[in-house]
Amino acid sequence: MNTYFGALKDGIYFYKIKKNLTDVGVKILNYYPKFRIVKFQSEKEFTVADFDIFLTVEQEKEAFFAVM
């Protein structure tokens, strides 16, 4: 399962697109309203081209820190 972060475009409201995301097989994990970021999971791989509601879509990285 892939985890993604998507930044909502201006004028797009989370409560209006939540059902549409779940209908396409996306499991919503969290919504950060202050930053307008949606954290979601899916079996499919997504890019920003797959959604017209996000400014950007980034896949969560496994390593958040560098080992020195």
Side-chain angles (χ1 to χ4, degrees), residues 6-32:
L8 292 175
K9 290 182 179 178
D10 287 336
I12 304 292
Y13 299 98
F14 176 70
Y15 68 91
K16 290 185 177 181
I17 55 103
K18 185 177 178 180
K19 184 177 180 338
N20 293 345
L21 289 174
T22 55
D23 287 348
V24 296
V26 170
K27 179 182 176 187
I28 297 171
L29 300 177
N30 209 341
Y31 174 59
Y32 307 97

Side-chain angles (χ1 to χ4, degrees), residues 1-65:
M1 180 95 40
N2 299 315
T3 303
Y4 297 92
F5 293 95
L8 292 175
K9 290 182 179 178
D10 287 336
I12 304 292
Y13 299 98
F14 176 70
Y15 68 91
K16 290 185 177 181
I17 55 103
K18 185 177 178 180
K19 184 177 180 338
N20 293 345
L21 289 174
T22 55
D23 287 348
V24 296
V26 170
K27 179 182 176 187
I28 297 171
L29 300 177
N30 209 341
Y31 174 59
Y32 307 97
K34 185 173 186 175
F35 303 108
R36 299 182 42 79
I37 302 281
V38 179
K39 182 177 182 180
F40 60 94
Q41 281 185 333
S42 177
E43 291 291 332
K44 297 188 247 178
E45 299 230 356
F46 286 110
T47 65
V48 73
D50 296 317
F51 297 103
D52 62 348
I53 58 173
F54 292 118
L55 289 171
T56 184
V57 174
E58 298 291 329
Q59 188 170 1
E60 183 176 53
K61 306 292 188 255
E62 293 293 324
F64 283 108
F65 59 91

